[in-house]
Amino acid sequence: MMVSPSESTSVMTVEKMAALGQPLLLPSAEEIYGILLSVYGKPQWWSSDPFTVIFQSVLVQQTSWKNVLSVTGHIEKLTPEYVLSLSDDELESLVKPCGFQKAKSKTIKSLALWFLFSDYSSYSDAELRKSLLTIKGVGEETADAILVYAFYRPFFIIDAYTRRFMKRLGFCFETDRALRRFFEDNLPRDAFLYGYFHWLILEHSIKHCRKVPDCSDCIFSINGGCNVFSCR
């Protein structure tokens, strides 16, 4: 069962422990979720339309969400049929604000064909992930975002934001697989929980845990610095 925000580790408790010179344990996955939830509230979901998630998950690679919205905001009805009706030049021109337009347009067309003609609804979770990863331009992060937000399959999304955030908390994972297992082994296997958790990390990373961090008023910060928790 997930802890409620009121049950999670508080900043006051952490500060008191630090002041007393007591060792600080790394927070559990549940505690991290509870802390983020207490600060940011219930996060939004990506989109209720699966193909919109697929389209945007490719666009967002190595660009900002603002650029993604600038592209999709000009499309009256985003469907795989619409994408496939465009010539290569037309689609490249459409997605150009997000960069890497040639590669992204090819991946988007491949995914549009996959979405229309594959029997993905009959796939197991592992089969669906494997199928997505066969498409050129779809890496693990993109595949997992599609799995969670488009198809509600339980795979915890590991991206640059998650890696940076967890490292600054004091965690040391040698691989993305180990980082993913930390979440998946210690939380209920629930796509909605994983999706909400990922969005909370994204919100926190945009506000505080940037490449150059802004630790002012950060709930995980002690004396204006990161690495609040020491290793177990």
Side-chain angles (χ1 to χ4, degrees):
M1 180 180 295
M2 293 302 301
V3 296
S4 67
S6 62
E7 296 171 323
S8 61
T9 302
S10 68
V11 170
M12 183 61 71
T13 300
V14 171
E15 289 177 341
K16 283 182 177 179
M17 291 174 69
L20 293 172
Q22 296 178 356
L24 302 177
L25 297 178
L26 291 166
S28 68
E30 289 188 350
E31 287 172 329
I32 296 169
Y33 180 79
I35 293 168
L36 290 172
L37 191 66
S38 71
V39 174
Y40 298 102
K42 184 178 179 180
Q44 67 182 71
W45 196 253
W46 192 321
S47 171
S48 59
D49 175 61
F51 189 71
T52 296
V53 173
I54 290 171
F55 185 85
Q56 292 181 333
S57 69
V58 176
L59 291 189
V60 79
Q61 295 171 3
Q62 301 184 60
T63 194
S64 69
W65 188 245
K66 180 180 178 181
N67 289 338
V68 173
L69 295 179
S70 74
V71 170
T72 53
H74 290 95
I75 302 174
E76 185 174 344
K77 189 174 182 180
L78 180 56
T79 64
E81 291 86 358
Y82 167 72
V83 165
L84 294 171
S85 74
L86 300 174
S87 68
D88 291 346
D89 288 343
E90 288 172 330
L91 184 55
E92 288 172 19
S93 178
L94 177 66
V95 305
K96 187 176 181 179
C98 292
F100 304 96
Q101 58 267 26
K102 287 187 178 293
K104 288 183 179 181
S105 63
K106 289 179 180 178
T107 300
I108 288 168
K109 282 201 169 184
S110 295
L111 281 165
L113 288 169
W114 176 88
F115 186 77
L116 286 175
F117 299 111
S118 69
D119 189 23
Y120 57 81
S121 61
S122 68
Y123 294 167
S124 67
D125 293 347
E127 290 170 339
L128 185 55
R129 191 173 194 266
K130 184 177 180 180
S131 179
L132 284 167
L133 289 171
T134 64
I135 299 171
K136 187 175 181 180
V138 177
E140 292 193 358
E141 180 184 332
T142 301
D144 291 341
I146 292 171
L147 287 163
V148 171
Y149 292 110
F151 299 116
Y152 311 108
R153 304 296 185 100
F155 290 89
F156 202 94
I157 303 162
I158 304 301
D159 58 10
Y161 297 109
T162 306
R163 295 185 200 101
R164 183 168 65 222
F165 171 62
M166 295 298 286
K167 184 177 181 180
R168 286 176 175 167
L169 285 185
F171 289 89
C172 301
F173 296 99
E174 293 185 359
T175 64
D176 283 353
R177 183 180 180 183
L179 178 53
R180 180 180 293 106
R181 287 196 62 181
F182 167 79
F183 291 106
E184 293 184 355
D185 290 353
N186 294 289
L187 294 168
R189 191 167 174 78
D190 185 306
F192 285 97
L193 171 60
Y194 293 173
Y196 288 139
F197 204 152
H198 176 258
W199 209 275
L200 286 168
I201 292 174
L202 175 62
E203 286 194 58
H204 184 71
S205 298
I206 290 171
K207 185 173 183 181
H208 289 292
C209 205
R210 309 165 188 161
K211 287 184 179 180
V212 179
D214 178 5
C215 297
S216 58
D217 301 320
C218 172
I219 196 167
F220 295 100
S221 174
I222 289 180
N223 299 324
C226 295
N227 284 318
V228 179
F229 299 91
S230 62
C231 294
R232 281 193 172 98

